[in-house]
Amino acid sequence: MSSERPNGLFRNIPAKVAAIPMIITALVVFMGGSLWTMAYSLTKSKLLPKWKFVGLDQYERLWSTKRWVVSIENLFIYGVCMLIASFVIGFILAALMDQKIRFENTFRTIILYPFALSFIVTGLVWQWILNPEFGIQSIIRGLGFTSFEFDPLYNADIAIYGILIAGLWQGTGLIMVLMLAGLRGIDQEIWKAAKVDGIPTWKTYLFIVIPMMRPVFITTLVLVAASIVKVYDLIVAQTGGGPGISTEMPAKYVYDYMFGGQNLGQGFAASTMMLLAVLVVVIPWAYLEFGGKKRG
Amino acid sequence: MKTLRTLFVATTALCATTAAFAADLEVTHWWTSGGEAAAVGELAKAFDARTDHHWVDGAIAGSGSTARPIMISRITGGDPMAATQFNHGRQAEELVEAGLMRDLTDIAEAGKWREVINPPSLLDACTVDGKVYCAPLNIHSWQWLWLSHKAYADAGVPVPTNWDEFVAAAPALEAAGIVPMAMGKQGWQQSGAFNVMMISLLPKEIFLQVYGDKDADVAAGADVARIFKAAADARAMASNSNVQDWNQATNLVITGKAGGQIMGDWAQGEFQVAEMTAGEDYTCLPGLGVNRTLQAGGDAFYFPVLKDAETTAAQGELAALLLDPEVQVAFNLKKGSLPVRGDVDLAAANDCMKKGLDILATGDAIPDFNQLVSSDTRVQIEDLFVEFFADASMTPEAAQERFAAIIADAD
């Protein structure tokens, strides 16, 4: 990063030599792999990559496939809800945890615990909890409310929200811990100053603390966004994409067509679209993070 | 450093001792239901008993559509198993073309496979450019309707003898609180049932024109429209069958909670495990009781090319063993499928298997779906039917239009 200075290229040679493996990995493995995928998404490769150029045919087919369009819609619903809900819940939990409560360690462990479980376990647990015959519905009916209905996983219109509940349960703990770390990083003097000025606590949080936590928010945003785009195992474990195709996700489409359908070209085209979605998130982040530093 | 060296020596020693023993063959397959597991157990037993080698079971739960991607990624990723199940046909086509599968021609010639395997189309499906790449194991056909006697007795209607009666009896079953038709909510089961209806309710030429010649006009035509109507009937009848796996659906029929199920003859194995007798406790209708036509598909074992000479030799022994008459009988009786050898004694076969053998003997067998279409097309069709069967608001006409578009692009 010091190469901004005019003759920076030859400064600190040992450090630069040490960085060469990392640079090569980044260029060859990450960039090279992505470029290779993009190139082969323009071919009609089946089970094995073959260079038979077909232009944008794979993309045309991709966007005229209903399952893909549904997947993108689902990703959008899941993504927006997940981002907003996990930030709000995570921040509120962290703020509550920050009130110098007793047994903070215990609560923190309990709330972070779901994050230690894999998405597969999470998916299976919530599949049972939301199953009308064994889960919440049957328990509440057992209490006497016989007309109670709660079976999100069996109703195609709302099944994606059933997935969202499980995703939030699993992921909110991590957000809370990150936010809590951010809150702890705020200087106590600022709180004291705000108190002296008579600013209510909620206002202090909203207008002073949150803006100061920008770096934490941005890091969390990238973590959550990446986990949203690649969501796969949760779907496989919880609904398998059903009922019908109502909870399909792009990553599952990629896998199913690449290996199940033995159509690499189609899978590559879909994963290139996913890469685009990630870039849409990462580029503004990189700009804010690194561009911001330059200005400061 | 010293610890590390000790570790290396220990590992090397361990490898050396393993190599001195007979080869362990890892065999992957997706046979996990009760009847299937019993059948594969017969293969493992025979292999362990008759050779010096050891069968390492690599069962992958789920279904073929879950297992195949795992198998393929292992083979293409350079971590091949010693042997693996695939369905006959085009599923492993490209792996063979890429030289990842072992040529079994010498073993096939030694075992005179060309003479003993009946119908010969099964061996043809294993043959690429005159070389044999897989060992056919059994014959499966999809075109069966399994009916529960208990369910029809409870509803007070006679057991249907064909598809139309089956549809007509549905309201009586529903009135008695029985699901008229059991169907797992997985694409392969739903598209499979659709193909069964197409073969059984229409002349077989139409099936061959749609999937064999990929004729989109036929696929969009009036005959196929009738099948989409029948599929909509099936959708209505199966709307309350809340199960995923095929064997769970079969279990609904076994316990009399559902009237019937369209499923391949592998369902037979489940009835057998439940100790039910064909004709008394359940009825099987080949060709849905309409057309006496069966598709001869089935399972075959493929042997990826391995570097280790010893394991390669063991592969050969396994391939020869699979076609052994005794193994064929033991395996197929448990599995509910038909043996690939025409010359073995199947006196122990039950009613349903005999009906199937009869039809195959009269030669009314057509190639399997998997031999006609590529996996890509198969997955697209499965996606379509998953959607169609889950969404009662999708009209047969809309589904047929998309079906015809898939066929037009198929390869």
Side-chain angles (χ1 to χ4, degrees), chain B residues 137-150:
Chain B
L137 185 60
N138 57 3
I139 305 171
H140 269 309
S141 48
W142 249 107
Q143 291 70 28
W144 298 82
L145 179 60
W146 307 92
L147 298 163
S148 161
H149 284 200
K150 181 173 176 291

Side-chain angles (χ1 to χ4, degrees), chain B residues 23 306-313:
Chain B
L306 297 179
K307 288 193 190 94
D308 183 47
E310 217 161 317
T311 335
T312 307

Side-chain angles (χ1 to χ4, degrees), chain B residues 69-92:
Chain B
I70 299 172
M71 294 165 176
I72 290 171
S73 57
R74 274 190 61 183
I75 296 170
T76 53
D79 175 30
M81 61 300 279
T84 185
Q85 173 199 8
F86 276 110
N87 297 119
H88 292 292
R90 299 181 60 180
Q91 287 173 352

Side-chain angles (χ1 to χ4, degrees), chain A residues 219-230:
Chain A
T219 310
T220 317
L221 177 78
V222 171
L223 281 178
V224 176
S227 82
I228 289 170
V229 172
K230 65 182 190 203

Side-chain angles (χ1 to χ4, degrees), chain B residues 222-274:
Chain B
D223 285 318
V224 176
R226 261 178 58 209
I227 302 303
F228 271 95
K229 293 251 161 55
D233 287 342
R235 177 172 69 187
M237 289 193 285
S239 59
N240 285 326
S241 118
N242 253 335
V243 290
Q244 291 287 335
D245 292 324
W246 69 267
N247 51 325
Q248 292 170 340
T250 308
N251 196 46
L252 291 180
V253 178
I254 290 175
T255 52
K257 287 183 191 142
Q261 180 193 16
I262 294 182
M263 187 41 62
D265 52 9
W266 46 94
Q268 172 85 15
E270 298 300 299
F271 286 100
Q272 215 148 302
V273 170

Side-chain angles (χ1 to χ4, degrees), chain A residues 201-223:
Chain A
T201 314
W202 67 270
K203 265 194 176 169
T204 317
Y205 268 118
L206 219 55
F207 297 110
I208 299 173
V209 173
I210 290 185
M212 287 181 77
M213 279 170 65
R214 204 192 66 157
V216 177
F217 271 90
I218 291 175
T219 310
T220 317
L221 177 78
V222 171
L223 281 178

